[in-house]
Amino acid sequence: MIGILALQGDVREHELMLEGLGVSTRQVRKVDDLDALDGLVIPGGESTTIGRLATLYGLMEPLREAIAGGLPTYGTCAGLILLADRLAEGTQPLLGVLDVVVRRNAFGNQNDSFEADLPIRGMIDPFHAVFIRAPWIDSVGESVEVLASWEGHPIMVRQGHILASAFHPELTKDQRVHHLFVTMTKEI
C-alpha cells in the first residue's frame, strides 16, 4: 500500500499510475492515514499551499518522522521542494529530509513550462519529462545521487529511500519512474 499525500495537486494522476502497476494506494490527509504504508508519494502542486495545509492539519512532524524513519518516499515537483532541507531563496514549511538546496520556479513561470526527452541514469531510453513551473536543485549533499540533470542542474535525485524529481512523470503514460519507486519500496 502506497500513500499519496492528498492535500492538493496531482493526487489522482499518481493513483492511476500506481494502480496501473498493480499497486494499492491510499490518500493521506490525516496522521492515521500514514499507518502501515510501504511508501509515500508527495505530488506536485503548489508547494507553499501543501506545506501550509500539512502544518494546519498537524501532518508536518509525523511526515518528517515517518520519512526520516525510513518510509520510502517519492516527491514530484512541489513534493521535491517539500522534501528539501533548504530553499535557495524565500521561506516556507519544509520537511528537511532530503539533503539538497532547491530553487523554486527555477525554469520560469507557467508560460515557460516545457517537455523534454531526458536521459535518466539506469534507464536505457530517454524519459519524456513534463516540467511545469519546475524547481531545480542548486546543490546536493554527499549522500545524494544525481539521476538526471537538465541544462547543468540536477532535476532527479535519490538519497537512500527518498526519490525526488522536478518533473511530472504522472502526467505521461510512461510508468518507468513510478516502477523505479515501487521497486525501492520492495528493497527497503
Side-chain angles (χ1 to χ4, degrees):
M1 175 76 66
I2 292 181
I4 302 171
L5 187 63
L7 301 177
Q8 194 257 356
D10 294 339
V11 176
R12 185 65 185 143
E13 290 81 358
H14 282 290
E15 285 176 335
L16 291 171
M17 187 66 78
L18 290 166
E19 290 167 4
L21 291 168
V23 177
S24 299
T25 63
R26 175 194 308 150
Q27 294 189 4
V28 174
R29 290 196 177 96
K30 54 188 189 309
V31 175
D32 292 348
D33 295 334
L34 290 168
D35 291 345
L37 292 178
D38 300 312
L40 174 71
V41 172
I42 302 177
E46 294 284 343
S47 64
T48 305
T49 301
I50 296 171
R52 286 180 180 160
L53 289 172
T55 300
L56 180 66
Y57 298 141
L59 277 167
M60 286 300 279
E61 194 55 35
L63 284 169
R64 186 176 294 117
E65 288 176 6
I67 298 168
L71 179 66
T73 302
Y74 175 37
T76 61
C77 196
L80 160 64
I81 296 168
L82 283 173
L83 290 169
D85 184 51
R86 288 158 287 161
L87 293 176
E89 55 192 24
T91 60
Q92 70 173 74
L94 298 175
L95 293 168
V97 292
L98 179 62
D99 190 9
V100 298
V101 177
V102 172
R103 185 173 302 273
R104 297 182 324 163
N105 302 325
F107 289 102
N109 63 27
Q110 190 83 19
N111 291 333
D112 298 312
S113 300
F114 65 99
E115 299 180 17
D117 290 330
L118 182 69
I120 296 177
R121 183 178 293 173
M123 294 185 185
I124 295 172
D125 297 318
F127 188 92
H128 190 74
V130 178
F131 294 82
I132 302 171
R133 295 177 46 214
W136 70 47
I137 298 170
D138 270 359
S139 63
V140 301
E142 290 182 12
S143 62
V144 176
E145 178 185 10
V146 176
L147 301 178
S149 296
W150 188 256
E151 297 180 345
H153 304 285
I155 45 84
M156 183 175 180
V157 295
R158 179 176 178 177
Q159 179 182 332
H161 63 285
I162 301 173
L163 181 68
S165 66
F167 57 89
H168 294 266
E170 75 279 8
L171 297 180
T172 72
K173 296 186 183 306
D174 192 331
Q175 298 175 315
R176 290 181 292 166
V177 172
H178 285 79
H179 184 268
L180 170 63
F181 178 60
V182 171
T183 301
M184 286 172 55
T185 67
K186 295 176 180 172
E187 292 172 347
I188 298 171

